[in-house]
Amino acid sequence: MVLSFPSGHSTRGGPSADQLGVIRQYAEALGRPVRLMEVCGTHTMVAFRSGLRSLLPENVLLISGPGCPVCVTPNGYLDTAVELSRRPDVILTTFGDLMRVPGSNSSLEKERARGAAVQVVYSPLDAVALARERRDKNVVFLAVGFETTAPGIALVLRTAREEDLQNFLVLCALKTMPAPMRALASGGEVAIDGFLVPGHVSVVTGARAFAFLAEEFGIPCVVTGFEPVDLLVGIGMLLRQLTEGRAAVEIEYTRAVTPEGNREAQRMMAEVFEGSDAEWRGLGNIPGSGLGLRDSYTLHDAAARFGLEVAAGRELAGCRCGDVLRGVLAPPECPLFDRVCSPASPQGPCMVSSEGACAAWWRYGRRG
Amino acid sequence: MCLAVPAQVVSIRGNLAQVSVEGALREVHLGLVDDVEVGDYVLVHAGFALERWTEEDVREWRAILDGTWPGRTE
């Protein structure tokens, strides 16, 4: 079959194809259900908000994956953050997404309403600036995120070390994407025919970091951008690989992603962090899937400073966020969905985060 | 959480740049990218420039927003 379709750099000024038409032709040629996982929470939101999901052929299914940092952060971490916020010697700083996530007993939003010093920051740079101003307090930054976010946090940690800002600390729960994708590919719980690979994680890691998915597991991968048309082109490129019986890592998001990634960002991460095991909500403990502080940065480790141990935490009874994050359960299949769990009173993180699969379904998916 | 937006560099002082995100000015750190000059576009995430865009990248992005990207379906 010969179909004109942009791939890689040829998307620029490439053929003026009707992207949906191309998707339909490939889908028909395949003639079987195809399950594609959009790993990144931002992709999930774009797919829902744009209405793109409802335009896809019936046999092309998009499943949401574990690429929402807030969603995969286990309750134990939130409990520790709540505990820290109650210390009078601490100002807690965090990205806004974490504020409303319920821990075992409380949330940061509730603690702030009760008078705790919890500040939402746009950037870790704001947190380190606060530490310079408030030498009388320990400014703790909640380091949650993936490879997109980790280099900036590494950079501020290095700055704090150089300036001997001993009152700047992080509670580190940074994670990396390749390991959970390996776990999903090898787990066998969900058959995944293709991955839409997170675009902004790949800006840092490079597309090559995901090559093993194609080489070892034979799963086609396309690193995709964040405009609706990027997603359509990415889906088309995945279907094309499937139609042609190929598995490779291709880049749709060529305006931001290279095979090698951002070497300076990688170097910065490696200087400050080392690989560690990490706990993922829904996926459990995955060896080598986290970033821990190197020994030379222990002085800036909030857990070490205050002798805290991040425990397992208690998950809310009935909450199926874990299954949603593995792609095993679609949000409307959760018994809590839209009954007791909604964005106004979220029971689990996938409903709290604006990028969570449950929030996306609730806002955009219910109309079909 | 991995949102990142393209922004044009308005001025540079040391490692910090003023950038314009659709007209709104923000300060971003340039410590993770090389060779950024005034007028360049960078991809910004949480206060850091993560990548410098070439003119070709910017053209593609503009075409996508305008709906004139050849790949666009509408």
Side-chain angles (χ1 to χ4, degrees):
Chain A
M1 177 169 49
V2 180
L3 282 174
S4 61
F5 204 90
S7 74
H9 279 269
S10 70
T11 50
R12 296 185 170 116
S16 175
D18 171 349
Q19 305 298 343
L20 271 172
V22 170
I23 286 173
R24 287 195 189 106
Q25 288 181 62
Y26 282 128
E28 200 175 318
L30 283 161
R32 61 178 168 90
V34 174
R35 297 163 67 86
L36 309 178
M37 179 173 272
E38 94 274 3
V39 178
C40 169
T42 312
H43 279 150
T44 301
M45 272 324 268
V46 173
F48 272 100
R49 198 168 44 208
S50 64
L52 176 158
R53 288 175 62 102
S54 57
L55 299 176
L56 294 176
E58 260 182 28
N59 63 327
V60 177
L61 305 172
L62 280 185
I63 324 168
S64 302
C68 159
V70 170
C71 304
V72 295
T73 299
N75 272 0
Y77 179 86
L78 291 156
D79 295 341
T80 306
V82 163
E83 189 183 335
L84 270 172
S85 77
R86 290 175 178 165
R87 292 183 64 104
D89 58 343
V90 162
I91 301 174
L92 201 66
T93 57
T94 176
F95 291 128
D97 318 39
L98 277 176
M99 287 298 286
R100 295 182 66 214
V101 181
S104 301
N105 303 299
S106 183
S107 70
L108 293 172
E109 188 179 52
K110 284 182 187 156
E111 294 303 314
R112 184 169 67 177
R114 289 183 194 130
V118 181
Q119 289 195 18
V120 171
V121 292
Y122 159 73
S123 166
L125 292 162
D126 303 333
V128 90
L130 186 65
R132 282 191 200 101
E133 283 169 30
R134 295 298 304 268
R135 302 286 182 136
D136 58 320
K137 298 278 187 187
N138 292 297
V139 174
V140 179
F141 178 70
L142 298 182
V144 168
F146 298 138
E147 292 95 328
T148 321
T149 315
I153 296 174
L155 191 146
V156 298
L157 278 163
R158 196 179 71 172
T159 305
R161 187 161 172 250
E162 283 167 1
E163 295 180 21
D164 198 26
L165 268 178
Q166 295 189 16
N167 66 327
F168 178 75
L169 307 165
V170 299
L171 186 64
C172 196
L174 292 167
K175 293 179 166 59
T176 50
M177 282 317 297
M181 288 172 75
R182 173 181 288 279
L184 286 171
S186 57
E189 201 174 19
V190 191
I192 298 166
D193 295 300
F195 281 114
L196 290 165
V197 176
H200 289 141
V201 162
S202 302
V203 168
V204 172
T205 63
R208 244 178 232 156
F210 298 94
F212 70 95
L213 290 164
E215 289 162 7
E216 286 179 43
F217 298 96
I219 302 177
C221 295
V222 175
V223 183
T224 307
F226 295 92
E227 299 297 335
V229 67
D230 286 320
L231 274 177
L232 284 177
V233 174
I235 290 166
M237 288 166 75
L238 281 177
L239 295 178
R240 179 179 182 166
Q241 286 194 39
L242 287 166
T243 306
E244 294 173 355
R246 293 185 295 124
V249 177
E250 295 176 335
I251 305 173
E252 183 280 332
Y253 196 23
T254 50
R255 59 190 186 278
V257 176
T258 60
E260 303 79 28
N262 181 333
R263 298 230 193 248
E264 181 56 27
Q266 292 165 15
R267 201 190 55 72
M268 190 70 73
M269 281 165 69
E271 185 182 320
V272 176
F273 303 118
E274 58 191 357
S276 68
D277 297 350
E279 189 74 22
W280 295 63
R281 189 192 300 266
L283 294 166
N285 189 290
I286 304 178
S289 68
L291 294 172
L293 290 168
R294 288 192 181 276
D295 287 346
S296 46
Y297 283 87
T298 303
L299 196 59
H300 297 284
D301 183 350
R305 175 79 59 92
F306 301 117
L308 302 169
E309 214 167 293
V310 177
R314 187 170 55 80
E315 300 297 325
L316 184 98
C319 174
R320 304 279 301 272
C321 277
D323 293 334
V324 170
L325 290 164
R326 289 200 310 283
V328 176
L329 189 82
E333 293 163 15
C334 174
L336 304 188
F337 183 82
D338 205 20
R339 296 189 179 87
V340 290
C341 189
S342 69
S345 67
Q347 303 297 308
C350 298
M351 188 63 91
V352 179
S353 170
S354 60
E355 303 183 336
C358 296
W361 269 96
W362 195 91
R363 288 199 177 89
Y364 304 109
R366 294 184 303 165
R367 290 184 295 275
Chain B
M1 188 182 252
C2 288
L3 277 177
V5 293
Q8 190 171 27
V9 177
V10 175
S11 63
I12 299 175
R13 216 173 128 189
N15 249 336
L16 295 175
Q18 284 282 326
V19 300
S20 165
V21 183
E22 292 169 29
L25 289 181
R26 274 196 179 283
E27 192 173 76
V28 304
H29 202 286
L30 299 177
L32 301 173
V33 286
D34 292 326
D35 306 328
V36 174
E37 292 174 16
V38 171
D40 285 348
Y41 276 78
V42 289
L43 190 64
V44 176
H45 168 75
F48 293 90
L50 277 189
E51 197 67 57
R52 184 174 64 83
W53 277 14
T54 64
E55 281 177 29
E56 201 184 358
D57 298 328
V58 176
R59 268 200 300 277
E60 178 183 285
W61 173 63
R62 288 219 175 98
I64 284 176
L65 296 190
D66 294 345
T68 55
W69 190 39
R72 186 146 193 131
T73 305
E74 260 180 18

